[in-house]
Amino acid sequence: MNIGEKIAEFAKGGSTGKYLITSDIPAICKSEPCMIGIDEAGRGPVLGPMVYGCAYCPISKLEDLKSLKCADSKTLSLDQREKLLTLINENADFIGWEVEILSPSFISQNMFRRAKYNLNWMSHDAAIALISRAREAGVNVTQVFVDTVGPPEKYQVR
């Protein structure tokens, strides 16, 4: 099952929590210094889940990454994004990735708690969790790039 099918299965299943989808970790990502990039899609329970994703690769493979024409997803068409996902998966020897999906129910339940947990905090925590899980799995993360929600300084502090 590909990532799109997994996400569709998650959405159809009416999940009320978080859902993780991960690639295998390339061996080179454990032995060489790596960069990791994080972005999100979706911003609220009315329209659907919030999806946070990261991709990582060795800094030494930056030119290879550029040759794939990786870019901010907001600058790419749906067709370009789908082709890029195929290319990323075809280069699994040096690119790894993870996606965390926060269901609309999870978002709503947290926003209605007595101790509020807003979308910005969820965004910060999702980004931190992606980095933490990659590091705990052995990825040698030395550079982090985050397409932030709100001021970048708040991410740096956390």
Side-chain angles (χ1 to χ4, degrees):
M1 183 181 308
N2 68 35
I3 188 170
E5 291 167 335
K6 288 179 182 181
I7 291 172
E9 178 182 299
F10 167 80
K12 183 173 59 176
S15 175
T16 59
K18 295 181 186 181
Y19 187 66
L20 298 173
I21 306 169
T22 62
S23 71
D24 292 331
I25 300 171
I28 193 172
C29 292
K30 294 181 177 184
S31 62
E32 289 192 21
C34 291
M35 58 186 148
I36 187 170
I38 299 171
D39 200 357
E40 56 81 24
R43 285 291 288 159
V46 173
L47 300 175
M50 291 192 335
V51 180
Y52 290 84
C54 73
Y56 49 85
C57 76
I59 296 167
S60 67
K61 295 287 191 177
L62 180 58
E63 290 307 312
D64 295 319
L65 188 66
K66 286 180 180 179
S67 73
L68 299 177
K69 298 187 179 6
C70 292
D72 186 328
S73 63
K74 292 168 190 72
T75 67
L76 302 172
S77 69
L78 176 59
D79 187 52
Q80 289 172 314
R81 289 192 303 267
E82 289 176 355
K83 287 178 183 172
L84 186 55
L85 178 59
T86 299
L87 289 172
I88 288 170
N89 286 328
E90 288 173 355
N91 288 278
D93 59 322
F94 75 94
I95 300 174
W97 54 266
E98 181 172 339
V99 174
E100 178 174 305
I101 305 168
L102 307 181
S103 73
S105 296
F106 174 84
I107 296 166
S108 293
Q109 289 168 3
N110 280 289
M111 291 183 74
F112 290 128
R113 294 186 331 195
R114 180 177 296 271
K116 301 287 186 236
Y117 185 45
N118 68 37
L119 290 176
N120 285 348
W121 281 101
M122 286 182 225
S123 177
H124 294 172
D125 288 346
I128 291 167
L130 289 168
I131 297 165
S132 296
R133 279 191 297 272
R135 292 187 58 163
E136 288 165 8
V139 178
N140 184 9
V141 177
T142 60
Q143 293 183 10
V144 176
F145 301 90
V146 180
D147 187 0
T148 64
V149 175
E153 297 78 23
K154 292 191 176 189
Y155 281 83
Q156 289 174 330
V157 168
R158 294 202 66 216

